[in-house]
Each structure stands twice: as structure tokens, then as C-alpha cells.
Amino acid sequence: MSTILTAIIVLFVLAVLFGALLGFASVRFRVEGNPIVDQIDAILPQTQCGQCGYPGCRPYAEAIANGDAINKCPPGGQSTIEALADLLDVEAVPLDAEHGEEKPKSVAFIREDECIGCTKCIQACPVDAILGAAKQMHTVIASECTGCDLCVEPCPVDCIDMIPIETTPNTWKWPEPPSPMQLIATDRGRGVAASESVS
Amino acid sequence: MALIHLSSPHVSKANSTADVMRLVLIATLPGILAMTVFFGWGTLVQIALASVLALGFEAAILKLRKRPLGFFLKDGSALVTAVLLAVAIPPFSSWWVTATGIFFAIVIAKQLYGGLGNNPFNPAMVAYALLLVSFPVEMTRWTSPITQNGEGWQVAGLLETLQVIFGSVEATWYDSFTGATPLDVLKHRAGQTTEEIWRQSDVLINGVAAWYAVSAAWFMGGIFLLSRKIFTWHAPLSMLIALFLMASMFYGFDPDNYVSPVVHLGVGATMLGAFFIVTDPVSSATSNRGKVIYGAAIGVLIYIIRTWGNYPDAVAFSVLLLNLCAPFIDQYTQPRTYGHKRANRGMKGKS
Amino acid sequence: MSKVFAFHGGVHPPENKKQSSRAPIGKAPLPARLVLPMQQHIGGPADPLVKVGDRVLKGQLIAEPIGRISASIHAPTSGIVVDIAAYPIPHASGLSAECIVIEPDGEEQWVEHQGLGDYKALNRQELIEHIRRSGIAGMGGAGFPTDVKLHLSEDHIVNTLIINAAECEPYITADDMLMRERAHEVIGGIEVIAHLLRPSHILIGIEDNKPNAIHALQSALKHCDLNIDVIVVPTKYPSGGERQLIKLLTDIEVPSGRIPADIGIVCQNVGTTSAVYRAVHRGEPLISRIVTVTGDAVRHPQNLETLLGTPFSTLLEACDLRPEALARLVLGGPMMGVTVDNDRIPVIKTTNCLIAATEQEMPPAPPAQACIRCGMCEQACPADLLPQQLYWFSKGREFDKAKNHNLFDCIECGACAYVCPSNIPLVQYYRFAKSEIRTEEREQQKADHARERFEARQARLEREAAEKEAKRKARAAEAAKAQEQRKAQAEQPASEAPAASASPDIKQLKTAAAVARTKLKKAQKAYDEGAAASVDNLAELEAALNDARQKAEAAEQALSAGSPAPSGGGDDQLKQLKVAAAVARTKLKKAQDALKSAEDKGLDGIDKLRATVETLEQKASEAQQAFDAAQKTSAPAAVENAPQPEPNSPESGIDAKALKQQVSIMRTKLKKSQTALDSCEDAEEKARLEQEVADLKQRFDQATAAFEKAEQAQIEAAAKDGVDLKQLRIDAAMARAAVTKSERALSKAESDDERSTIEQDLVAAREKAETLNQTLSQYE
């Protein structure tokens, strides 16, 4: 009986000791991280397009921090979802089609001879990328445009187009080399094609 | 004129992974020859058996993984694994010992991890360790070298060897061909001093010369590979030096209880390990500094396990333990890149 | 200073230099067309100065640099500019970019040019400007504008000038041949550069596989006063890499992410020095360069002095290409060059070599095997990287780790891929990872920028809202005052306005009113205070307050009665009438609204309301009539000036409006059907919908056509009157928008005072809108 008692006492004392140690360590060596909302906001593409159902990226970041789904951002696409999943340590899910689909990056373009100068698009632009004044022709500053689409809807004469950004030699990316045939299990379909190309 | 778009460089050195493996196989020839001379046909039979099995398992698993057979079998890595395992196990081991070992090496330790290049452990050593742990009796029944068998070349003939290996001969018969290895004898000496045991044991008096000869043959093979720049000197040399220093230190303090450094370098799998196992690039450390640390740690571990551990030889365990550490070593031994004041240590900005 | 140091790694690929260095430098034929990309250098593309159809002379500036890091471009020969458009350029992507295309006239007529003579007498700034105007960019491969490298700040000390003559890439002999045949130009160029930089050492780094060039340089140096060392380095690729050569010659490493100039070293290619010589001594801008044309697929490999813009096909023909043998066309050397899939691509300032390789010479890479981490790449890497680790990270898209393993110190020399026994396209992996990282960074930057702008806008909107609120409050207060005043005016009998006839001194009245107001305020304040403190003599105070108020009112009335008198006249009357009419209209509108809502709700008092509305209507029309009459009499000229409706326009107006509506209806219908069609899966349904869409489309087209016709007619009609219909339309739209805005504001307004102010605004806006609409409708 006394052995058992000794064991229990010893274990209890040890538990208390280690608990105290851990507690101390967690206070003493606390790592001050960015608030999670800032980190999420940094990942979001900042188009401020509202396709997620929130009025801008930051509100959506706040919503995610409060547990909203991470797959409501079409401009960010799958890569943003993966980055968020990585940050929040949750599973990466496909984009929610309800909020739109991932489109190639584009900028707004105003067909200037059709513009009546109503300023409605200027008011809609979340990043002040449209230049113009009442009764003056408007134009988009392409380098500032985030491609959010928000100016297209309010235009009374439908003179705004979303033009996909073209690849120039300066923005061209080297493609990933073809995958060598050695991955595990995940590439069943590719094995056949690979064997054909080799033999 | 169909022109193509490709990334540079547009020329490449005429070498291939298969060439590398072929050179390694060639380098094992002196060692195999020496073993055959001193221990009989067993080695050759084991190599043949292991090679056939290895290619068979490799082909089967590639088929299961739906990979092109020819392309992967041609790289010769399965053969290298087979030969290394075959020379590491006792020449008269039963066929099923070899089969189990090869299965484990090729299927479990290599292919299940994704095939060549993706295995974290040296396949031959994983298999060897498994066999040593699973069949300790089988694995310690080494053939006695001919130098120990009195007059003339008295080795088991090819037919007899085949009979032993494929299991139709009584154990008592082949007991006459087997005996303890020098490391065994030195390990299980029941309180005698090193000197006493050297004077008494037939294994040590007559047999050790054969072991030295085999080690010398492995060493020759290693030098050949080094000269062909298949690997760099860092890992093998640091391993040998570490082992030598450890042994010298303890031998210097207490020659009665500890074994001379020469014996440590000359017997067991030291030379085979130094030039054929430690240099396995896939599972070892990457940078030159990393290789030095990797080799030295293996050397130290070999001495520790040999001297104070339960197993007579320790190359396999030491290598496996350091395989585990290789990524860690890599992380902290990146070379100093051109234009940088200091080398990177680990990841920046990640806690 | 002739000691040679070593750099880590390096490889020894077969040199293949003999083939092209046997023949002397030839001259490339003049092609039918020269295509000059606007970006042949690092930095901003140049901006064309010529137009299609212009005739240009040889050496004429045709595009000027934009920004500091940029280079100008000159016409390589005389001819006509036939096009300025996007053409394929020599770039790994195979994409097109803006080019000027010149059709040579074969006259080779030079623009007026001459050398600088004694360049040492010139100001350094002027000399650098001359080099900039000559469009010289690094000719070794990168194409960094030379003037930028020479234009260092005054306190920037250059210890060492290194002339890169290593030419370590296999096959290429352009620099070798240049040094053999034109060593004096190279040395002359070095003299100019040395004059500008004033270095303490000048080193020429050259590989030991060019004995002839070394000899030529050394003999040319005999006539040179500068202390120039020709340092022969062992042949090893990539000793010609800028950083590697610096390490070889000086044992100094250029810090990562910095440029050699930061450590007092400037590196120039021999080709560049020769170009500098020509620009300074002969006044010739950079319009041609030496290109090595080699490879087993050409029968006569050689070096050709080639005009920039010459298509590769011309060069290949000149060297007798065997088209059937050509398997790969490489631009640059075999280690770092890019392949091109089009032989119409032109030679640019950085094109040093063109390899027409056969299948045997550059066989397609065998499929990549697994990396066995053999470490050969690591031994070959001249930047001391861990290529195999970088490969794993790039392949696994662990770009953070790749970056941490100094991916960006990789110079993409290809030594690792050259030695790789598994034939892994390592360099492509690094390029892929680099461009991914760069894109990611660019996007991150853009996102941060967008966030900043968004936040700034947000702040601005808030500020504006606050300002508006403040203004609104101020206006409300004013309106309240005005109303009070009006009330007071109404109370005062008309007869009691003596000021009107007596025309009193308005100034006096004003002062009196102000005094009275102040008194009133004081009294009010006292009263408020008293009320708050519940003082006994509250009643007394109240009386005083009332007294003050009366006095103030009287003063105000006197003032208001007095002030309009001097101006008097019809205008005033007109204004009053206008206001009356507007008020009547507003009242009417209100009543109408009330009636409508009542009708909707089915309330009892409808009849009464209806009667009110009728009365109001009458009143409104009376008021309007009165106003109109007044207006006519007071300003007949204005009425005359107003545009008279064209006799035919009402018809066409109705027409156009209806048509427009129809068009928009059609468009909506069409869109709807299209969407339905897109989402529809059932075949039968689809066919039906397709039919419908086609039908609708036709109708839509018809409607659009009709509408356009009508609109055209309107515009013509309007044009006859000299009225800008578009402007008119915009004005009308604006006015309408103002009305809507006011209406919205009215519905939101809370206090009565506020409402009345807004009502007035609204009335004015409506009036304007109506007038405009009327004018507009005359034309539509």
C-alpha cells in the first residue's frame, strides 16, 4: 500500500513540477506573433472585390479568423486557399463556386469614346484606380487596377471591359520541367504515358 | 526545320547514373575475389542469388507501380544493393535469409519510399540490420577462412556450397566450415585480456590475415572509385580516422581490455562500410562539411557499439543511425555561398 | 598582380572553338529587312522616334532611351521604316515585342557623324552622354547599358577595371576573333573607359585557350601608356562569369545581391570596349556586332560582322546551312544559350553566337532519372550552392527553403546540369522556382499596394462623410433661421412696411437688426441659464426675451423690406413668381404623392385629397402661367434665342426613344436566352433555345439598326442647328441625376427645416432638368 502511495505522491509532485515549468516557459518564451487577422489579410489578394460577400479583404480576413470558410476568394484562387490552409492548419478545400470562379488576372479598360463621364465607376473603384471627373472622360490606371470587376456593373453605358493581362517577355515565367516518373501512388495515370515515351 | 524550345544547357557530360552504378560494381570485384579466395564459393553464390532476386523484386514492384521496367532496371541500383548485401552476410547463409534480406532491401526500404533517390536509409544496411536482429544465429555463422583450415586449400566445393545454401545438408556437416569471426572472438572472451586471447584463439592466430586481405581488397576498390570521382574523400576518410582515433585512445589507456586500432580498421566490415556503405549518396549528408561530420559520427558509433554494445559488428547500425541524422546535418552544414559572409544555418525566420 | 586565384567548381565541356576561328571575320550580307527590337538591353525599352514611312540614314537615332537604365537604338543602314509592331524577339519565351522594321535601300548612306577627336579635353559628363547617345550596352550577354556602369558618382572610387575576355562558353569565338583582328580597338576602348573611371589597376582576364588573341593584345599594349595587365587564366567554365572572373583575378567575392561597383570593381566585355572605341573615335553608334555562326549544321562556320536586326536566316545562309541537318538553333553558347524556334528572329546587341546544331551534336536530353544525390553538381557549382537541395525544394515547390538556400545566387551557368548523371534539367528547375518567387513577390507587392490604396480611400471617404455631415448641420441651422425670418415676415402686415416707399438707409437698418439680434441672443442666453437654474425671476427674463425678440424681428423686417427696394424692377418680380410657381409645383407633387399612397392604401380621405390636388394643379398652372407671362415680357430676347423645335423632330424623337427601348429590351432578352442556352443540357430544349436566340438576335440586330438610323437622323438634325446633341444629352443626364439625388435626400431628410431647403434645391434641379429635356426632346 505504501509503495503505491509513494508512487502516487512522487508522480503528483513531478506533475506539479513539470506543469509549473511548462507554464513558466510558456510565459517566459512567448513568441509575439502578428495578430492572425493581419496574417490572413496579408495572404488575401487585396482586390477588395467583395466576391466573398464581405465588403473588402480585411472584413473577410476577420471573418476567416472567426471561423468562416477559406474558399470564398475567387481572385486569389487555389493558391490563396492553400496558403490560408497552411497558415490556419486546416485542410485546403476547392474554391466555392458560389462566389465565382478563378479567372485570369485582368485589368479594367474604359472604351473612352463611349464614356459619358458619369463618375459612377470612380465611386465604385475600391483602390481609386480610375481617373476622371464629372463630364470628363474617365480612364483606368492599369498599374493600380486590381481587376476586381466592381466598376463594370455601375457603368450606365457598359463601356468598361475586363482585359486579361497579357504575358510579355518581362513577365513570362519559365514552365516547370516535366515531372520525372518517380512519384508515389499519386500519378497512376501518368505512368502509362511515361512508359510509352520512354520505350 | 522543326526547332524546339529547351532550357540550357544544351550539352551534357557523357555520364549517367547507370555508369556510376557500373563503376561501383567494378570496384567491388577485388573484394569479391578476395572473399571467394578466402571463404569459398559461398560469396559468389550469394551474389548471384541476391542479384536475381533483387532484379525480380524490383521488376515486380515497378510493375505494380506502373513504371517503365527497362528504364528503371537499367540504372543498376538494385544490383549494387544486392551485391553489398550479399557480401555483408555470411557466405553460407541459407537462401531464405538472403531472400528475406533482398525483399526487405528492395521492396520495403527502397521502393515503398518511392524508389531510387527517395529512400532515407541505405537499403542494404536496413536489410542487414533486419537479418541480424531476426536471425542472430544464422548471421553469426561465418565461414572460417582457408588460412584457418590447416594445410592446403580446403574450401567447400561449389556443389557442396549450393547444397548448404539451399538447405539439403545437415547443419553438423557445415559446422566444420564455420567459425566465429575475429570480432566475435574478441567480444566473447570471458575475462581474458586482449593479449591472452590473441595467443589462444585460432581465429585470431591464423584467421585474421584473411580478414586483413579482404579489407585491403575493399580498400583498393574504394581508392578506384575515389580516383574516378564517384565520391569525395570526406566521408570515408573521416570515418576511418574517427574509428582509428577512438580505438587508439582506448587502446593507449588500457591495452589489456581494448583492441588495437589496426584490428578495428582491418577486420569486420570497416573497409566495406567506409568505401561502399558510408559513401552511398542517397542516404548520406550532402555538403562536404556534412559528409565529414557524418563519416566521423559513424566511426565513433562503430567503435562504441563494437566495444560496449551487444553486437560484434556495428557498421549497419551506425550507418542507419546517421542516415536518420543526415537531413539534420544537411540543415546545419550548408556551404558558404559565393558572395555570402557566412553560411546559412537552418531556416531563417522560422521558429 | 599576375597571380591567378581559383573559384569553386566549374566544368570542362568540349570547347568546339576551332571550327569558327579558322576564317577571318567576314561581313554578313544585307538582309531584305532589318527588325530592331526596342529592348535589346536590360532596363526600360527605348521609345521609337520614327514613323512608318520615314526614311532613315545609317546611324540615325531611331529610338531614344526611356529612363536612366535604357539604351538608344540607331538605324543600322539607310532605308525606309516599313513597320513598327510586335515581332518575335530573341528571348527564351519566344514571345514578341515592339520592333522597328527597316527596309534597306542598299545605299548605306551614313548620317553625318564624326569622332570626338580629343576626348580627354571633354568634360566627363559629356563623354558619358556621348556614349549613352551611341546606344552601347554590354555585349557579353547581359546587355547592361554601358553608360550607367561608367557613370558613377564622384566619390565612388574604382580600384580595378576588369576587361572580360575570358569567353569561357564553348563554341563562341566572337571575342577571340575581335581581339585577334582589332586589338587596337579593344585597347583604345579601354583607354576611354580608364579615362572615365580612373582605376588603379586594369586587368584583362583571358583564358589560356586563346594564344593568338593574347599575343595580339600584348603587342597592341606596347603602344599604350596605361598599365594594363593581361592575365591568362586556366580554361574552365564559367571563368567568364563576371563574379567568377573577379574572384579569379582579385580573390574578392562580390557580396550577394550587390554589384561589382559596390566593391570598387567595374567589369566590361571586350566587345563593349571596341564599341566604345568606335563611338568615341569615329562617332559610330552601336549598329553592328560580331556574331559567331557555328555548329555542325553549317558548312562554313565563321564570325560575321553583322548589322543589328539581321534575321538569323540571313546569317545561316551566309554560312551555308544544311537545313536537313539542323536540329536545334541555339542563341548564345551551349551552356547558357536559349533555343529559338524561328529563324526570322533578329540579331541584337547581345547576340554573340548562333549555333546551328545537328541531332548528334546536341541530342535531345534523355528522360530525367531520379536524383541520387551523388553531389557531382555540388562539386561543379561555381557559386558554392547545394544544387541537389535546390532541386528538391524547387520540385516540391518549397520556394521559401529554396530561397533560404540562396537560390538567387545561382547564376544559371548550367554546370550542375552538365555533370548530372541523372540528366535532370536542374537549371530549368531553378529558373522555374525563381520566376515563381518573383511573380509571387510582385503579386504580394501589388496586393500590399492595393491594400494601402484601399485604406487611404476608406479614410478619405470617412473624412468626406464627416465634412458633409458638418456642412449639412450648418445648412440646417441656416435654413432654420431663414424660416423663422419668413415667419416673421408673414406676421408683419404688408402696410407696416414703411421702408419700401421711404427707401431708408439700409445700412442703418442692417446695423439695427444686428444689434437687435445680439440683444435677442443675450436675452435668450440669460433666459436659458435662468431656466436651467430655475431662477425666480424667470418670468421677468421671459418678458425681456420676448421684447428683444420682437425688436429683433422688427429690425429684420425693416431691413428685408428695405433692401430689395433699390434694386426693384421686373427681375425681382420674375424671381418671386418663379419661386411661387416652383413652390406650387412642389406642393402639387406632394399632394399627388399623398394621393397616390392614399389610393394605394384605400384610405377614406381620398376624395378630399383629390380635390386638393386639383386645386393645387390649378394653382400651379396659374403660377406657372404667371411666371411664363412674366418671363416673356421681361426677357423676350431669351425666348427668341431658345432653339425652336424642328417640325419633323417630334416624330423622330418618339421614334428614337421607342427604338432605344426596344433595343435594350431585345438585348436583355437575347442575353437571357443566351444564358439559358449556355446552362441548358437537354438537347431538345437546347435546339429550341438556339432557335430562339437566333430569332432574337435577328430582331435585336434589326432593332439596333433601326435605332442607329434614327439616332443618326437626330444627330444630323441637331447638327443642322449647331447643337451638340451629345453634350445636350450628357447635360440632361446630369440634370436628371441631380433631381434623383435631391429626391433621395428629401426622403432622408429629418427635420422640416432641412426638408424645405432640399425642396428648394429639388425644385431648381427639376426645372433645369425639364428645360434640358424639352430642348433635347426637340431633337429626338
Side-chain angles (χ1 to χ4, degrees), chain C residues 60 72 113 139 224 246 279 334 401 412 445 509 514 578 584 590 602 614 626 710 714:
Chain C
Q60 181 184 333
S72 41
H113 69 287
M139 289 163 80
C224 175
I246 290 172
K401 286 190 191 166
E412 299 175 18
Q445 228 171 13
L509 277 172
K578 198 173 175 181
K590 245 185 184 168
E614 272 160 21
Q714 281 167 17

Side-chain angles (χ1 to χ4, degrees), chain B residues 90 93 97 131-142 174:
Chain B
S93 306
V97 171
L131 295 178
L132 194 59
V133 172
S134 310
F135 317 115
V137 180
E138 299 280 340
M139 292 302 285
T140 47
R141 265 207 302 240
W142 264 87
Y174 94 112

Side-chain angles (χ1 to χ4, degrees), chain A residues 79 105 167 170-174, chain C residues 399 408 431-447:
Chain A
S79 58
K105 293 236 171 332
T167 316
N170 288 332
T171 57
W172 176 77
K173 292 199 291 183
W174 276 94
Chain C
F399 298 131
F408 281 92
R431 285 174 169 160
F432 157 70
K434 280 182 182 176
S435 51
E436 285 293 315
I437 293 171
R438 286 203 191 103
T439 312
E440 215 168 85
E441 272 170 4
R442 211 165 35 220
E443 260 161 33
Q444 190 58 48
Q445 228 171 13
K446 203 170 174 203

Side-chain angles (χ1 to χ4, degrees), chain B:
Chain B
M1 181 167 52
L3 296 171
I4 35 170
H5 251 130
L6 289 169
S7 175
S8 61
H10 306 290
V11 287
S12 82
K13 205 171 169 180
N15 60 350
S16 68
T17 306
D19 290 341
V20 174
M21 296 297 173
R22 201 171 302 131
L23 279 175
V24 174
L25 288 177
I26 291 171
T28 57
L29 289 180
I32 293 170
L33 185 72
M35 282 187 76
T36 312
V37 168
F38 290 105
F39 298 101
W41 294 102
T43 308
L44 287 181
V45 175
Q46 294 291 3
I47 287 172
L49 175 63
S51 301
V52 170
L53 284 172
L55 290 177
F57 284 135
E58 180 109 330
I61 206 97
L62 285 172
K63 192 100 192 150
L64 280 175
R65 287 178 63 205
K66 297 195 167 63
R67 297 305 146 102
L69 285 188
F71 180 70
F72 282 103
L73 284 181
K74 259 192 292 183
D75 66 24
S77 60
L79 281 182
V80 172
T81 303
V83 170
L84 291 181
L85 182 64
V87 297
I89 60 174
F92 283 88
S93 306
S94 297
W95 65 271
W96 50 265
V97 171
T98 316
T100 313
I102 291 293
F103 176 81
F104 209 75
I106 299 293
V107 178
I108 310 280
K110 184 169 140 195
Q111 290 291 355
L112 287 196
Y113 281 97
L116 179 63
N118 296 298
N119 46 311
F121 300 105
N122 184 324
M125 287 303 104
V126 171
Y128 182 80
L130 174 94
L131 295 178
L132 194 59
V133 172
S134 310
F135 317 115
V137 180
E138 299 280 340
M139 292 302 285
T140 47
R141 265 207 302 240
W142 264 87
T143 320
S144 306
I146 50 158
T147 47
Q148 219 176 302
N149 294 341
E151 323 258 300
W153 292 83
Q154 295 199 0
V155 291
L158 181 58
L159 249 164
E160 288 158 321
T161 309
L162 285 173
Q163 280 171 347
V164 173
I165 289 173
F166 291 98
S168 60
V169 175
E170 292 293 311
T172 46
W173 180 86
Y174 94 112
D175 268 352
S176 64
F177 285 95
T178 59
T181 63
L183 284 172
D184 271 336
V185 175
L186 287 165
K187 176 124 227 144
H188 306 110
R189 51 185 154 173
Q192 292 167 301
T193 63
T194 314
E195 218 189 325
E196 281 166 355
I197 222 165
W198 270 104
R199 263 186 270 124
Q200 284 171 14
S201 169
D202 187 38
V203 173
L204 293 183
I205 295 166
N206 296 315
V208 84
W211 290 94
Y212 283 163
V214 171
S215 283
W218 290 128
F219 181 75
M220 278 165 58
I223 296 299
F224 167 71
L225 288 181
L226 202 52
S227 72
R228 298 301 299 266
K229 293 189 176 159
I230 296 302
F231 50 75
T232 60
W233 53 267
H234 303 82
L237 194 70
S238 60
M239 173 197 140
L240 293 178
I241 289 178
L243 181 59
F244 182 80
L245 287 181
M246 283 291 280
S248 313
M249 201 164 70
F250 285 96
Y251 186 69
F253 279 127
D254 187 0
D256 282 352
N257 281 320
Y258 295 100
V259 182
S260 122
V262 179
V263 177
H264 269 294
L265 292 186
V267 302
T270 307
M271 286 298 163
L272 176 69
F275 290 101
F276 293 89
I277 308 293
V278 171
T279 55
D280 167 36
V282 177
S283 52
S284 75
T286 300
S287 65
N288 290 344
R289 253 168 358 116
K291 282 179 200 156
V292 169
I293 295 171
Y294 176 82
I298 289 178
V300 171
L301 267 180
I302 288 177
Y303 187 80
I304 290 172
I305 299 176
R306 273 185 186 173
T307 311
W308 297 291
N310 272 331
Y311 290 94
D313 206 351
V315 174
F317 294 116
S318 312
V319 168
L320 290 179
L321 278 173
L322 261 294
N323 283 170
L324 275 176
C325 304
F328 175 76
I329 295 173
D330 282 346
Q331 189 75 287
Y332 286 92
T333 56
Q334 292 172 38
R336 184 190 65 89
T337 307
Y338 180 102
H340 286 255
K341 283 219 175 66
R342 255 174 292 122
N344 282 342
R345 297 249 185 282
M347 284 290 286
K348 262 179 269 171
K350 295 244 164 164
S351 49

